[in-house]
Amino acid sequence: MQRIVVLAGGIGGARFLRGLRFAVPDAEITVVGNTGDDIHLFGLKVCPDLDTVMYTLGGGIHEEQGWGRADETFAVKEELAAYGVGPEWFGLGDRDFATHIVRTQMISAGYPLSAVTEALCARWQPGVKLLPMTDDRVETHVLIDDPDAADSGRGEDGGDGTAGRKAVHFQEYWVRLRASVDAHAVVPVGADAARPAPGVLEAVAAADTVIFPPSNPVVSVGTILAVPGIREAIADAGVPVVGLSPIIGNAPVHGMADKVLAAVGVETTAAAVAAHYGSGLLDGWLVDTADADTVGAVEDAGIRCRAVPLLMSDEETTAEMARQALALAEEVRA
Ligand code: GDP
Ligand code: CA
């Protein structure tokens, strides 16, 4: 049986996974999910990327929106707002709340996130093994200009560029500010001391193929790779590692990934993202047909590259992307 490991963020990862599962229904697919987006709201632990994967593969996702539940209502949020309790900028619906209540209850009872995720998936039956990247707390923070900071002049930061700046939680940057201001740095706080969740390194070691779906290279895949041991395990696994570009025609497909790419000094092009992962990690890279002219540059960087349609417009189109990724993996394996 074919064993595939996929490092996934939210929407891009989840939609790709649906196509992959459709393309190879008999494969054993292990998903290592990003937990750097996790946030505590109203005393509840919310794991947006794990839930997006779980709901998408389990048939409960709000299709058009790409996150949250279908047929959702917002009575709890409205009642909280009536008490003046926010934040109001994060959309938690009534159905979704139940997931976070169950998760928080289990965590309070001492279960690690990986066990909680397995329990939640018992309901949703996503058809993949969904693992958080770590059971430890990792929180992605984004360094932005602080509009409230007094102009303190140069040098007060000792030259590290932090004067007049502040770090905000990734969700505050992404959802509240809609990435409207520049990100100076993206820091997965806690990642350096985090350990891969049980099963992650084992799945990578047993994998026939590792896939980076068209997830955000910085705050989704990049955060997973920041957990010590995961990058090394993938590079050492000795199996094809192939990725699909989330960047088409020098822009993210619906989204703001360009803001966090700029923060890490990477151009918003399919070729630059491939180079960012690097030939030490990535063996193959799919770019969209719109970026066919960059195939040569990627190959010159030591990464096998093909141009194929990469818009996940429906399940069959997405399944074909998955087949192309697996075909590229076989090509580099040969
Ligand atoms: P998030 O956690 O919900 O932001 O989701 P991910 O990190 O998994 O994926 C976000 C990325 O998906 C964005 O950077 C988009 O560029 C990319 N994306 C979304 N739809 C498509 C698509 O149809 N094709 C491709 N190639 N990328 C897509
Ligand atoms: Ca995310």
Side-chain angles (χ1 to χ4, degrees), residues 2-64:
Q2 182 171 200
R3 295 195 178 91
I4 303 170
V5 168
V6 180
L7 309 191
I11 300 181
R15 289 196 171 152
F16 174 78
L17 281 162
R18 201 155 55 177
L20 178 66
R21 206 184 45 178
F22 189 79
V24 283
D26 297 330
E28 184 183 289
I29 302 170
T30 302
V31 179
V32 180
N34 171 42
T35 58
D37 293 15
D38 294 6
I39 185 166
H40 285 80
L41 294 168
F42 315 109
L44 301 175
K45 183 172 172 67
V46 180
C47 301
D49 285 0
L50 293 179
D51 288 349
T52 295
V53 171
M54 187 173 78
Y55 294 156
T56 301
L57 295 179
I61 199 78
H62 186 303
E63 284 292 340
E64 296 72 42

Side-chain angles (χ1 to χ4, degrees), residues 1-157:
M1 198 210 316
Q2 182 171 200
R3 295 195 178 91
I4 303 170
V5 168
V6 180
L7 309 191
I11 300 181
R15 289 196 171 152
F16 174 78
L17 281 162
R18 201 155 55 177
L20 178 66
R21 206 184 45 178
F22 189 79
V24 283
D26 297 330
E28 184 183 289
I29 302 170
T30 302
V31 179
V32 180
N34 171 42
T35 58
D37 293 15
D38 294 6
I39 185 166
H40 285 80
L41 294 168
F42 315 109
L44 301 175
K45 183 172 172 67
V46 180
C47 301
D49 285 0
L50 293 179
D51 288 349
T52 295
V53 171
M54 187 173 78
Y55 294 156
T56 301
L57 295 179
I61 199 78
H62 186 303
E63 284 292 340
E64 296 72 42
Q65 199 168 251
W67 54 270
R69 293 288 310 278
D71 303 318
E72 190 57 290
T73 52
F74 290 87
V76 174
K77 192 181 177 205
E78 284 159 24
E79 290 295 319
L80 286 163
Y83 286 110
V85 174
E88 287 192 53
W89 48 263
F90 201 88
L92 286 186
D94 300 330
R95 292 181 188 278
D96 201 18
F97 257 113
T99 303
H100 313 313
I101 290 169
V102 173
R103 172 184 294 124
T104 307
Q105 198 172 22
M106 285 190 72
I107 285 181
S108 306
Y111 290 95
L113 182 61
S114 49
V116 176
T117 304
E118 191 180 342
L120 295 172
C121 285
R123 169 184 176 193
W124 290 101
Q125 296 290 317
V128 299
K129 186 167 187 188
L130 177 60
L131 304 173
M133 64 189 198
T134 180
D135 280 334
D136 300 320
R137 185 164 170 173
V138 176
E139 233 173 56
T140 301
H141 288 190
V142 179
L143 191 65
I144 60 171
D145 284 328
D146 184 357
D148 301 328
D151 185 5
S152 51
R154 289 165 62 184
E156 271 196 16
D157 60 1

Side-chain angles (χ1 to χ4, degrees), residues 9-11 34 37 48-49 170-171 174 219-220:
I11 300 181
N34 171 42
D37 293 15
D49 285 0
F170 171 73
Q171 297 296 354
W174 209 247
V219 292
S220 293

Side-chain angles (χ1 to χ4, degrees), residues 7-16 34 37 48-50 52-53 65-67 170-171 174 213-221 244-248 251-258 260-261 286-288 308-314 318 321:
L7 309 191
I11 300 181
R15 289 196 171 152
F16 174 78
N34 171 42
D37 293 15
D49 285 0
L50 293 179
T52 295
V53 171
Q65 199 168 251
W67 54 270
F170 171 73
Q171 297 296 354
W174 209 247
S215 282
N216 190 306
V218 182
V219 292
S220 293
V221 180
L244 300 93
S245 179
I247 305 299
I248 298 182
V253 184
H254 344 277
M256 311 166 290
D258 49 319
V260 288
L261 281 167
L286 292 179
V287 301
D288 188 75
V308 299
L310 287 190
L311 270 181
M312 299 189 281
S313 33
D314 56 47
T318 312
M321 283 167 55

Side-chain angles (χ1 to χ4, degrees), residues 155 249 330:
E330 291 321 310

